Amino acid sequence: MSSTQTVTRFAPSPTGYIHVGNLRTALLNWMIARKAGGTFILRLDDTDPERSKDEYADAIREDLEWLGLTWDREERQSARLDRYAAAADEMRASGRLYEAFETPVELDLKRKKQLNMGQPPVYDRAALALSDEERDRLRAERGGHWRFKLDQSRIVWTDGILGDLSIDAASVSDPVLIRGDGQVLYTIASVVDDTDMGVTHVVRGADHVTNTATQIQIMQALGHDHPTFAHHSLLTGPQGEALSKRLGTLSIRDLRTQGVEPMALLSLMARLGSSQPIEVRDTPEDLALNFDLSQFGAAPTKFDVAALRPLSATVLQGTPLSTVAADVAALGVPDDSADRFWTVVRDNIHSRAEMADWWRLMTEGATPEIDAEDAEFVKDAIAALPDAPWTDTTWAEWTSAMKTASGRKGKALFKPLRQAMTGRTDGPDMASLMPLLQRKPRI
Ligand code: GLU
């Protein structure tokens, strides 16, 4: 790998299913890598052995595959613990990692006192003042955790979305990198991985901005430059309400079950929050071609799940039979009708599941509700219609005969007949639909 190659990563914790918020992060990183012809890494942040589960790791892979977001390499943090231990040793030796002993209750008390006195709740570094004896005693009594000693200067970087950022390290607590039970925490694991794996661009949610500031210093303490960071805004609901609590119901697998088309979801998420218009594309690669991170803004991004329905309809309208041939065959549509079936149906559905409604109509006939003033006319018309099979010309011949017989024309002629044959007032071109219908309506 050359040092200039673009490398990005998507780093979910396998502690649950991924949702639209995670997808946004994954997609932005994926598009950066694909547009640059670089490498996209799927990194499982699984240093928490209690909460990380293989079934979630499998589900994440399955969801990404369904979306077509391919990855070039997979990494698991649980397989790299020796690397994190080595980095911790290096920082202990250079005096940047120190042992602290406060319990969560003690820390909480300190924070409350500081807030009461109008001070920022920043860890006071009391552990640095302990004598060797006190340290030994506390270690024996309760065990210690390890904090990174921030250099209390301003941390500055140019963010790929937020522009020039500056965070005063003195306003941030020295981050805990290793817990009392020895568990390595995300902050150090992520830094070691990003530097070891040559990650060049890190795009993640705006909730990570402070993490980024501390990670920049940790990278420097380990002798590395930091990658380009960009923080995308967080998603809100349609009224601007926080989405975090509802994300559980917006998992990728739920949306898949609801019949959302993957390219509808990707097309929306690739542009939401940017000044570029949402355009439905055929493949994730097409989305990457026009992708421009600098078009994204800092304002919270409104996400309305209802937008996926019309976008899925648009995707289906442009979907060739070959893509859905298995679904069409599974319904029982004969091979020689499949092409016509799909051409007629794809313009009239919002999900693949709705194909079944059309096939049922075709095989069983409609059970329409007919307006009272059309009842007589429709009864006569159905009686005049020969039995199926019907052809491309049946509709024209039938409606022309009924026009002559009834004197009706235009909407008064066509609407009741469409309604009789399909049970609906809108839908496919009737001339193309007639050869697919197999039964007269039940009226
Ligand atoms: N596992 C972290 C998360 O899901 C990764 C954050 C990052 O991209 O560094 O929040």
Side-chain angles (χ1 to χ4, degrees):
M1 193 195 308
S2 99
S3 60
T4 53
Q5 205 211 356
T6 296
V7 180
T8 65
R9 84 300 194 276
F10 172 49
S13 300
T15 54
Y17 298 121
I18 52 171
H19 50 65
V20 285
N22 305 127
L23 166 60
R24 187 142 178 257
T25 310
L27 179 59
L28 297 185
N29 284 293
W30 185 90
M31 290 193 293
I32 290 174
R34 289 293 172 262
K35 188 174 179 184
T39 300
F40 178 69
I41 301 173
L42 171 61
R43 188 183 89 195
L44 297 168
D45 284 4
D46 60 349
T47 55
D48 182 342
E50 299 278 296
R51 295 177 59 227
S52 301
K53 301 261 181 295
D54 279 344
E55 70 178 271
Y56 290 126
D58 290 342
I60 289 167
R61 289 187 208 99
E62 192 183 289
D63 289 346
L64 292 175
E65 274 164 12
W66 175 70
L67 289 160
L69 298 183
T70 47
W71 56 99
D72 305 299
R73 219 165 94 201
E74 182 182 311
E75 299 282 354
R76 298 188 80 112
Q77 291 193 325
S78 57
R80 295 175 42 78
L81 298 179
D82 54 338
R83 286 293 306 134
Y84 312 141
D89 283 344
E90 194 180 327
M91 289 190 286
R92 273 188 204 101
S94 63
R96 295 302 294 275
L97 198 61
Y98 65 94
E99 201 170 11
F101 301 93
E102 288 87 353
T103 62
V105 175
E106 286 168 351
L107 288 172
D108 200 42
L109 209 63
K110 281 189 191 208
R111 268 194 296 267
K112 285 192 177 124
K113 273 191 194 158
Q114 287 168 313
L115 289 169
N116 277 340
M117 288 170 15
Q119 292 168 356
V122 177
Y123 176 60
D124 63 7
R125 295 185 162 175
L128 286 175
L130 296 171
S131 67
D132 286 350
E133 292 74 38
E134 286 170 317
R135 212 170 274 132
D136 289 343
R137 181 177 56 78
L138 285 167
R139 188 179 301 121
E141 261 175 39
R142 49 167 85 165
H145 51 273
W146 294 84
R147 287 187 185 262
F148 177 74
K149 191 173 163 206
L150 288 166
D151 171 9
Q152 294 187 327
S153 55
R154 291 202 84 83
I155 303 165
V156 295
W157 76 95
T158 302
D159 193 275
I161 293 173
L162 302 176
D164 288 339
L165 289 187
S166 159
I167 289 191
D168 183 2
S171 70
V172 181
S173 294
D174 288 339
V176 176
L177 301 190
I178 301 172
R179 287 202 328 197
D181 62 3
Q183 188 183 313
V184 169
L185 292 181
Y186 150 77
T187 305
I188 184 172
S190 187
V191 161
V192 172
D193 291 345
D194 285 340
T195 49
D196 278 4
M197 295 170 196
V199 171
T200 55
H201 297 72
V202 173
V203 181
R204 55 192 174 197
D207 50 338
H208 280 288
V209 166
T210 307
N211 279 341
T212 295
T214 62
Q215 289 184 6
I216 286 175
Q217 279 207 2
I218 300 170
M219 286 176 178
Q220 286 163 346
L222 291 168
H224 298 290
D225 290 336
H226 64 81
T228 300
F229 287 104
H231 295 86
H232 60 72
S233 61
L234 299 182
L235 296 179
T236 71
Q239 314 308 330
E241 72 277 20
L243 207 55
S244 45
K245 293 211 175 57
R246 285 189 38 222
L247 283 173
T249 64
L250 292 172
S251 73
I252 304 306
R253 50 196 41 219
D254 283 350
L255 296 176
R256 175 170 50 165
T257 310
Q258 288 161 28
V260 168
E261 283 293 313
M263 280 316 297
L265 187 53
L266 292 178
S267 298
L268 180 67
M269 298 317 288
R271 299 290 186 264
L272 209 59
S274 87
S275 55
Q276 290 176 290
I278 292 160
E279 288 164 309
V280 169
R281 300 279 181 203
D282 290 341
T283 64
E285 286 75 12
D286 291 344
L287 287 169
L289 286 180
N290 298 317
F291 170 66
D292 182 359
L293 192 65
S294 70
Q295 301 295 311
F296 282 73
T301 301
K302 288 193 176 134
F303 170 77
D304 187 356
V305 69
L308 293 169
R309 199 174 135 80
L311 285 172
S312 292
T314 306
V315 168
L316 290 165
Q317 281 162 29
T319 299
L321 173 64
S322 54
T323 307
V324 293
D327 304 81
V328 172
L331 287 178
V333 180
D335 281 353
D336 56 358
S337 306
D339 203 20
R340 178 187 285 270
F341 173 83
W342 181 239
T343 307
V344 164
V345 164
R346 69 177 179 178
D347 290 336
N348 292 279
I349 52 177
H350 295 85
S351 71
R352 295 183 195 202
E354 287 176 14
M355 284 197 276
D357 301 336
W358 283 104
W359 185 236
R360 196 173 319 110
L361 167 77
M362 292 165 187
T363 50
E364 294 175 10
T367 39
E369 281 178 30
I370 304 294
D371 297 343
E373 71 263 29
D374 297 322
E376 201 58 39
F377 165 63
V378 166
K379 204 168 143 258
D380 292 348
I382 297 302
L385 178 68
D387 282 335
W390 300 309
T391 69
D392 279 330
T393 56
T394 303
W395 178 254
E397 287 158 8
W398 183 40
T399 51
S400 143
M402 290 316 297
K403 182 179 179 182
T404 312
S406 68
R408 290 182 178 232
K409 57 183 185 188
K411 203 171 159 201
L413 171 70
F414 294 112
K415 192 176 138 245
L417 296 182
R418 170 187 284 282
Q419 213 168 351
M421 294 307 291
T422 66
R424 308 171 24 150
T425 51
D426 62 353
D429 168 48
M430 286 303 295
S432 314
L433 180 63
M434 284 303 283
L436 289 161
L437 296 176
Q438 295 165 29
R439 301 177 86 95
K440 290 193 184 186
R442 287 165 292 178
I443 50 171

